[in-house]
Amino acid sequence: MSKQHVAIHPKLSSGGTTIFTIMSKLASEHMAINLGQGFPDFECDQKLKDLVAKHLQEGKNQYVPLAGLPKLNETLSRKMEHVYGMPIDPQAQICVTAGATQALYTAIMAFVNKGDEVIIFEPAYDCYTPQIQLAGGVVKPYTMTYPDYGIDWNRVKDMVTDKTRMIIINTPHNPSGTILSNKDMQSLEDIVSGTSIVVLSDEVYEHLIYDGEDHQSIMRFPNLFEQSLAVFSFGKTLHATGWKMGYVVGPEYLIKEFKTIHQWNVFCTNSFVQFAIADYLAEAENYEYLPSFFQEKRDKMNELLADVPLTPKVAKGTYFQAYDYSDVSEMDDLTFAKYLTSEIGVAAIPMSPFYTNPPGDKVIRLCFAKKEDTIQAAAERLMRLKG
Ligand code: PMP
Ligand code: GLN
């Protein structure tokens, strides 16, 4: 530990390290197969890498406009009209960001003021709570539990007060692998209609949806869209989580305010990658293969782990699946995830860090964005749980 020369006044009550960092570090210390932190262990498309290299070499290396490279925003606008049927103004309704995490942070900073309440659905992706706290907001968690992870919208309605400023939804949902239905979205629309609540819709897994289901994007609900922002991540869509590129979409008046904040903490993001993505996503085949590609991986995981004594909640979306381990252990989920990593050689993510008040479910999350060989090797190790 280095010597501390000045006083520190932490802005966050729990400054802790993210569970992803903790488990990935433990995985590398024990040379465990990492099914914890969500990232593909396979390469992104060579065509995409070639485009990135081409634009870098051709000197696309200076600032681009704050809202995004116009050509990229046009590609995204066409893509959204094609996928969701909603016309999106490329300049006024999109802002390209340094990944979804930054888009979420900027959106929360732009719309949540001191004392404002924000409803989130737990288990919730781990950046929401600290970001709300940094904005001075108050987190109001709705608890979802294994195996359904369902939402009773009457209870949500009862949570709304005159201080509620934002509701954050996430579909397909990390970490449970569930999705919201059309009915869920209509219930949400009924609750926020006529209020000043901003809906922040985390849709980073928009294309990772299975069994023929349609992703219920906020963009399929024109009235709801008028008071919402949707957040996307190229990391998921392009198998390139390390690029940290994403974007936010919404009605002009919300995006205008978003951009006001964005200009002071980012201004614009990486130029040559934007040129490359603009070319790559112009072709629908470069994202339309994603549901079947990942569904095959999910099914392969379920086939290979069929004899492992963990009970899956079959994922409807994302590249995560929740597993109940109560047949093999009485340990709490963090202890069990650490045990799996250090003793069995497979890293997992416990569910409790995604809750304010963990319900005590004996559930862990495994990631299936992996090569078949990786899943096969993990399955062999996990068989040791049979005792
Ligand atoms: N939201 C969810 C639900 C996520 O799972 C992730 C990361 N995988 C993010 C946001 C952050 O995405 P990014 O890496 O683009 O910041
Ligand atoms: N989103 C990834 C996951 O859920 C992790 C991202 C991170 O490490 N911050 O596993």
Side-chain angles (χ1 to χ4, degrees), residues 20 36-38 125 174 205 236 320 365:
F20 307 117
Q37 191 179 27
Y125 186 60
N174 179 11
Y205 299 102
K236 320 294 161 191
F320 303 114
R365 186 196 84 176

Side-chain angles (χ1 to χ4, degrees), residues 66 95 106 110 253-265:
L66 177 151
C95 185
T106 302
Y253 75 103
L254 292 180
I255 292 291
K256 184 166 178 281
E257 190 58 24
F258 180 97
K259 286 196 277 199
T260 303
I261 307 299
H262 182 75
Q263 73 182 328
W264 302 124
N265 70 351

Side-chain angles (χ1 to χ4, degrees), residues 9-28:
H9 307 290
K11 294 201 171 167
L12 290 171
S13 49
S14 61
T17 311
T18 84
I19 191 65
F20 307 117
T21 306
I22 292 170
M23 295 313 299
S24 282
K25 185 163 174 280
L26 202 63
S28 67

Side-chain angles (χ1 to χ4, degrees), residues 38 98-102 104 125 127-128 170 172 174 202 204-205 231-236 241 244-246 319-320:
T101 310
Q102 184 249 311
L104 291 161
Y125 186 60
C127 73
Y128 305 160
N170 171 214
N174 179 11
D202 181 340
V204 300
Y205 299 102
V231 166
F232 299 91
S233 170
F234 295 120
K236 320 294 161 191
T241 59
K244 295 300 292 186
M245 297 285 287
Y319 42 51
F320 303 114

